[in-house]
Amino acid sequence: MLFREIIGQERVKAQLRKSVQEGFIPHAQLFTGPEGVGKLQLAVAYAQYLACPNRTAEDACGVCPTCLQYQKLQHPDLHFAFPIVKTDAGDVCDDFFEAFRELLLDKGYFNLEDWYTALGVETKQGMIYEKESSEILRKLSLKAFGNGYKVMIIWQPEKMNTTCANKLLKLLEEPSEMTLFILVSEHPELLLPTIISRVQQIRIPALGEEDIIAGLKANGFGEEASDLAHIAAGSFLAARKLADESSTNKQYLNDFIALMRNAYTIGKIKDPQKKSESLQAIRKWSLDMADAKVGRERQKAFLQYAQRQVRENYVYNLQQPEMNYQTADERAFSKNFSPFINNGNVEQIMDELGKAEHQIGQNGNAKIIFFDLCLQFIVLLKR
């Protein structure tokens, strides 16, 4: 992986290149920062730059045999450790490395949820087990393939169990010659303090909006790139997921608009016949949302989306565009709707949406939950 292939992070890239050029390579480094900003990619590019015999002042050459192996994540001196879920397929990272390699090469930017999906498991309890520490020691005890560093990149080191973490600590205290550990973490506070004290921390910041826009356009996204970059709040991964989910989010927006319009309209109608028709519209919306084809995960996702839109409509009233994280379509609706989300009802509306999400997650009756939600909003939008 080359530095020039990584979105933004020019300051960090310069810092990493300088450390190689000046020969100052701390044997243990911790890359920390938010999700989706390129930490793992920078770790691989740094390792490749360090190994490339023909590197320039700006990047690895990209064409030598060493670079070609690194580009495929198949260099003998490059090793990875990452959370796994023990199965019949294996119990150490090497047993799952092909899936990890394919995900990194294909997606580039990904998170734990994406990794678990690639593994075909639903659990959130992946771990780097004790046995992995023995594998790490074994790999780093081997003679280097070339004349350079043996590199061990540990992704999500906070997922190490206590025994593995303690064994890693010993390796960090007594490192083999020409060995480089790069820990890539989003939650360094979960690491052992003794590990933190033995690594050089490198903070990888959130990406600028312009960098995300450029990255999105390079990936084929056009006019919506600016809105997505703003909403993503510094994470290219978040921006790309939003782009991939744009059609789904448009449906969520339509459902949100229908909910709010129906609830507001019925609160204003006095004619019994028209009120009855509006109630039927609310009932139909509730039944459509409760349809088994929609599924509980999608129902929860809609309620989470609705909570975000309520927050954004409340913020919209402040008339501070830089604080508003919405697409153009969402802002168009908020222009007229936002005054109805105010100090008198915002907390209760959020509570009702949160309660509905919880009830859906507890396998409650979706028809009753969504219909009750509509009835609550009829009252709350009057405030």
Side-chain angles (χ1 to χ4, degrees), residues 95-109:
D95 297 322
F96 302 91
F97 177 67
E98 277 307 306
F100 186 83
R101 187 177 75 89
E102 288 177 11
L103 185 62
L104 180 52
L105 292 176
D106 181 43
K107 295 290 187 181
Y109 293 72

Side-chain angles (χ1 to χ4, degrees), residues 25 69 73 86 98 163 185 209 260 292 320 324 372 381:
I25 314 292
Q69 288 178 309
L73 305 179
K86 287 183 179 179
E98 277 307 306
T163 304
S185 174
E209 288 188 20
M260 296 304 176
Q320 299 287 333
N324 193 244
D372 180 67
L381 289 179

